[in-house]
Amino acid sequence: FELKKIFYILKRRKNYIAGGMITFDICTFGAWSSSLVYLFFQYRSGKFDFEAESFSAHQKYAVILASTLTLVFGLRFLTRFFYESDPIEKTWKFFTTFFTQESRRKINVDQWIENYNDLHDDSKNTASKREFNYKTMVNAYYELATQFYEWGWGSSFHFAYRLPCESFSESIRRHEYYLAGRLGVNPNEKVLDVGCGIGGPYRNIARFTGANITGITINQYQVQRANELNAKIGMSDQVHSDEGDFMNLPYEADSFDGIYAIEATCHAPSRKGVYSQVFRALKPGKIFACYEWCITDLYDSSNPFHVKIKKQIEEGDGLPDMCKPSSVLEALKETGFEIIEARDMALDANPGGITWYQPLTPSYNIFSQRFQFTTIGMVITRLALRVLEFIKLAPDGTNKVQGMLQQAAIGCANGGKTGTFTPMYLVVARKPMDK
């Protein structure tokens, strides 16, 4: 299995995580096979006996090496039953890329996370000030969080509930296809993804609809990463990302045959502001569909636990201030949209399925990313990242970024459990023909 993977990589001439992971595979496979071959010939020549009371120094080293690497390969094999990709490779890639982020992007991770936390410190800033500084806040958030998201969640940064017998990645794609189906676009028509992240959704939707999709995001790293992934799979002619602010879309009026947003416009300082930009760029008679993050009518501002949940989500997810569904609908109508459909998809009947927030709840299954949300998992994660920072395998501030995202996950999970928060309030709206 390891040899086949190595030869495949060499044949494709891939830059496989700067050569790091392929070097690891070649070295470990070489050491493992060499130790086994050595022990085999020692056994055939009668110099090695498994039942002997003592071994030579070389034989001891070979036995330890063969046993340890057999365990390593066994664990990597087992993880494939629990993960849809190799977590060791993903983790190696994450640290090698995140470690070079400071030099490549000319940022200081520790300083950026401190500045970001200051924006959410209620003793220093209010919600109105966060709205005023939303570009700085959102850009800083995604500069710090994008690689963590891609490592732990994949290239589509959004939630989805899972139907019975459905995998995580299948649920993500279904959630995207469902929204795309509301647009009613045809092959080769122009579609805009507002707040596109690194392009996971638009690549899936482009395959599904045949449309040509442009994505826009405020963060330069996300633009670079999205277009890099587009080129890697040969989709650059069909999809691409632009850097820009969705509060001031850099496109001509009546440019797109459909526009959608997936858990993105919640970052806007004004829903009416972002919706008016969408309205302007959309062709008359065409559809805007989105999944909104909202606090629900069950939210009680006098309940300290509810207030904590809202604060954790806003602080951990780069949001200026969350609103209720009624505010979303009101903003769309004031902009000029006709509401076709509006509902909280988190309330969809799903007997035997898995809730959208289940991946964020604690589990003592060590093969699951949910282990990090357990008490033990939190301690281990913090200690591991501090050690990596200390030995300079991770930039200073990595532990703070992970802690911010972890608190956001806990807030989202508790919001889901209490029903006070939804990340999938579906709105489908049409721009009238006479506008």
Side-chain angles (χ1 to χ4, degrees):
F1 172 78
E2 294 294 324
L3 273 177
K4 285 175 67 178
K5 184 170 66 173
I6 290 168
F7 288 141
Y8 172 77
I9 294 164
L10 289 174
K11 183 178 179 181
R12 293 290 297 275
R13 299 179 183 178
K14 288 184 177 180
N15 180 8
Y16 196 58
I17 315 172
M21 203 62 202
I22 191 171
T23 302
F24 173 81
D25 280 339
I26 291 174
C27 291
T28 53
F29 181 79
W32 178 69
S33 57
S34 298
S35 61
L36 289 179
V37 170
Y38 171 77
L39 291 174
F40 174 76
F41 282 106
Q42 288 282 299
Y43 176 75
R44 286 289 299 272
S45 63
K47 297 178 182 179
F48 176 69
D49 184 358
F50 286 101
E51 298 180 358
E53 295 183 0
S54 62
F55 305 130
S56 69
H58 288 167
Q59 290 171 347
K60 286 181 181 178
Y61 295 145
V63 169
I64 293 172
L65 191 60
S67 301
T68 302
L69 293 180
T70 298
L71 179 62
V72 170
F73 289 136
L75 286 173
R76 292 189 69 179
F77 176 76
L78 284 174
T79 55
R80 293 184 181 273
F81 288 98
F82 298 93
Y83 293 90
E84 296 176 25
S85 60
D86 189 336
I88 296 176
E89 292 178 11
K90 288 179 66 176
T91 302
W92 178 270
K93 179 179 180 180
F94 167 73
F95 280 112
T96 54
T97 54
F98 195 66
F99 183 67
T100 59
Q101 183 184 30
E102 289 187 303
S103 59
R104 286 185 294 105
R105 303 286 299 140
K106 295 180 174 59
I107 67 169
N108 183 301
V109 172
D110 193 46
Q111 187 61 53
W112 275 56
I113 185 62
E114 286 295 334
N115 292 341
Y116 175 82
N117 287 337
D118 283 346
L119 283 171
H120 275 283
D121 187 338
D122 289 337
S123 66
K124 300 178 181 179
N125 287 285
T126 62
S128 60
K129 287 185 178 180
R130 285 192 288 274
E131 290 173 356
F132 180 77
N133 293 305
Y134 86 96
K135 285 197 287 188
T136 299
M137 182 178 66
V138 174
N139 185 55
Y141 173 77
Y142 279 111
E143 189 73 39
L144 296 167
T146 294
Q147 292 187 57
F148 278 91
Y149 276 176
E150 188 176 1
W151 171 51
W153 204 260
S155 61
S156 293
F157 303 163
H158 63 82
F159 294 106
Y161 58 74
R162 289 167 61 181
L163 301 175
C165 302
E166 189 176 49
S167 70
F168 175 79
S169 61
E170 288 170 342
S171 71
I172 291 292
R173 289 193 297 272
R174 173 184 49 75
H175 200 59
E176 293 165 356
Y177 297 159
Y178 187 88
L179 191 71
R182 291 297 189 268
L183 295 177
V185 295
N186 298 312
N188 299 318
E189 288 190 326
K190 290 177 60 179
V191 174
L192 179 66
D193 181 334
V194 176
C196 63
I198 60 171
Y202 72 46
R203 283 186 290 273
N204 290 332
I205 291 174
R207 293 189 191 99
F208 179 66
T209 63
N212 297 315
I213 303 181
T214 299
I216 187 166
T217 175
I218 201 170
N219 181 252
Q220 186 184 58
Y221 171 73
Q222 289 193 335
V223 173
Q224 293 174 353
R225 180 61 178 154
N227 288 330
E228 174 186 295
L229 292 172
N230 298 339
K232 186 176 181 180
I233 61 174
M235 292 189 69
S236 296
D237 292 337
Q238 187 179 3
V239 296
H240 75 276
S241 284
D242 293 333
E243 181 181 356
D245 181 3
F246 57 34
M247 297 297 290
N248 185 25
L249 290 175
Y251 308 112
E252 294 181 0
D254 305 334
S255 297
F256 294 97
D257 299 291
I259 300 179
Y260 68 88
I262 300 179
E263 302 183 22
T265 50
C266 51
H267 292 291
S270 163
R271 290 299 203 285
K272 186 177 179 180
V274 66
Y275 295 155
S276 65
Q277 287 293 303
V278 170
F279 189 87
R280 181 185 62 81
L282 188 63
K283 292 180 180 179
K286 299 300 184 177
I287 300 295
F288 169 56
C290 70
Y291 292 130
E292 277 285 3
W293 278 31
C294 296
I295 50 173
T296 72
D297 291 334
L298 294 178
Y299 176 81
D300 181 1
S301 60
S302 64
N303 184 319
F305 185 50
H306 290 185
V307 173
K308 180 181 179 182
I309 289 171
K310 182 174 180 287
K311 181 63 176 175
Q312 284 178 316
I313 296 172
E314 290 172 348
E315 183 172 341
D317 289 292
L319 309 182
D321 193 20
M322 284 197 293
C323 65
K324 291 191 174 183
S326 57
S327 298
V328 169
L329 297 179
E330 182 180 353
L332 283 165
K333 291 175 182 177
E334 289 179 356
T335 302
F337 278 109
E338 299 172 348
I339 307 299
I340 298 173
E341 181 181 4
R343 64 188 178 87
D344 184 0
M345 288 185 62
L347 302 178
D348 287 359
N350 187 23
I354 296 174
T355 62
W356 64 265
Y357 56 83
Q358 190 252 23
L360 307 178
T361 58
S363 169
Y364 283 94
N365 176 2
I366 61 172
F367 291 106
S368 169
Q369 59 91 23
R370 295 169 57 198
F371 179 74
Q372 66 174 303
F373 299 115
T374 65
T375 303
I376 297 174
M378 288 182 183
V379 172
I380 292 174
T381 302
R382 282 197 297 268
L383 288 175
L385 289 176
R386 283 175 181 169
V387 169
L388 290 170
E389 288 178 1
F390 179 76
I391 62 178
K392 301 304 179 184
L393 286 180
D396 292 340
T398 303
N399 185 58
K400 296 176 185 176
V401 177
Q402 193 276 337
M404 171 192 72
L405 297 176
Q406 194 173 66
Q407 287 303 304
I410 293 171
C412 286
N414 287 330
K417 290 177 183 177
T418 59
T420 56
F421 165 72
T422 177
M424 52 185 69
Y425 187 75
L426 170 69
V427 180
V428 182
R430 179 187 291 112
K431 180 177 178 178
M433 287 297 298
D434 58 348
K435 297 295 184 179

